[in-house]
Structures are given as C-alpha cells and as structure tokens.
Amino acid sequence: MHPEIARFWELNRMYIGLRDKLFDHINDADLAFSPGGHNPTLGELCRELGETQQAYAQSFHNFKIDFSWRSEDDRYLRNSAALQEWYAQLDAELEAALRTVTDDDMRSKKMDRDGYEVELHISLDIFREALLIFYGKVSVYMKAMGKQPQGMWKDWIG
C-alpha cells in the first residue's frame, strides 16, 4: 500500500472501529426505529453507510466516485449480524482496492467527484467525514431511543 494511503487508511480504521462498536449498543429491533416524520429507520441509515463505503471501494479501482449503487438486500434493515458481516466485507474490499494504488497513481491521478477532483488520499479523508456524519445521526437516534452508549462511542461522539 502506498505510504500516504496507508497513513490515511490507518486513521480511518480507527473510525471504522467506532462503527463496529455501534453493535454493542443496538439490537435487531433497534434497526426498525425512526424518530418519525420523513426520517429513515436506523437500519436504513446503516444500509446507506454500506452503500457509501461500497462507492469508495469501487472508486479506488476507476478513480471516480459514484454514489448511485443501492443494495437491494433488506436483511441490512433488520439484522445487525448481517450488517456486521457486510461491513467486514466492505472493509476488506476497500482495503484491497487501496492496496492497488501505485506511486504512479498517486502522482498522476485524482479522484473524480462528479464535478471536482481531489487527491486520492483526500478522498479517504472525505470518507472519514462521512463516517462522522453517520455517527452524529446515529447518536441522535440512540438518544431518542433512550440509549446511553458507553466506552469509545461516548468518548468520541458524546
């Protein structure tokens, strides 16, 4: 793995670890929770995060990010074990894609983000920001459900 990509990936792995800690605080029934109105369920938020990560994994193969792909697997809406398995698969896919980035790619390619371009390692930084946005949303959902996360989740998100 290119050293610059590796540095950003190691930081992202810590943030992904926080995503995995979510499952210490929620269960399958919680995935059906919505705070009401036009808000998605927690399961829908979780599936959306997986779709986002899929877009990032694919982007490191063709250097263009495309957020149009949608999962049709409804298990992710109601089954936390299925979500955890999918997330682990997505983590492996993203890491494998990152391992293919060469020195030449880092010098000569940019990530096409539908109208603007960023350095390849910055795309990983933007992915980390997507994780933080997800965590903020989930934190609101957990508070609405009366859940009080502890440990790493409480320290990082509140």
Side-chain angles (χ1 to χ4, degrees), residues 28 79 83 109 114:
D28 291 349
N79 186 304
L83 266 173
K109 301 215 167 135
D114 197 27

Side-chain angles (χ1 to χ4, degrees), residues 85-96:
E85 289 173 18
W86 187 36
Y87 286 163
Q89 175 190 343
L90 291 168
D91 294 346
E93 287 176 17
L94 180 53
E95 186 165 344

Side-chain angles (χ1 to χ4, degrees), residues 50-69 89-90 92-98 100-101 111-112 123:
E51 293 165 349
T52 298
Q53 187 166 340
Q54 175 71 29
Y56 277 90
Q58 291 305 307
S59 75
F60 281 93
H61 291 295
N62 59 17
F63 306 105
K64 178 173 177 51
I65 193 138
D66 177 3
F67 293 107
S68 66
W69 180 82
Q89 175 190 343
L90 291 168
E93 287 176 17
L94 180 53
E95 186 165 344
L98 295 174
T100 68
V101 176
M111 187 65 68
D112 178 352
S123 192

Side-chain angles (χ1 to χ4, degrees), residues 1 7 23 37-38 47 49 60-61 67 73 84 98 101 106 111-112 114 137 142 145 149-150 155:
M1 187 179 294
R7 186 169 61 87
F23 297 100
H38 296 288
R47 183 169 69 178
L49 178 66
F60 281 93
H61 291 295
F67 293 107
D73 194 335
Q84 290 176 78
L98 295 174
V101 176
M106 289 295 289
M111 187 65 68
D112 178 352
D114 197 27
K137 290 176 182 180
M142 286 198 290
M145 288 187 285
Q150 300 299 314
D155 291 345

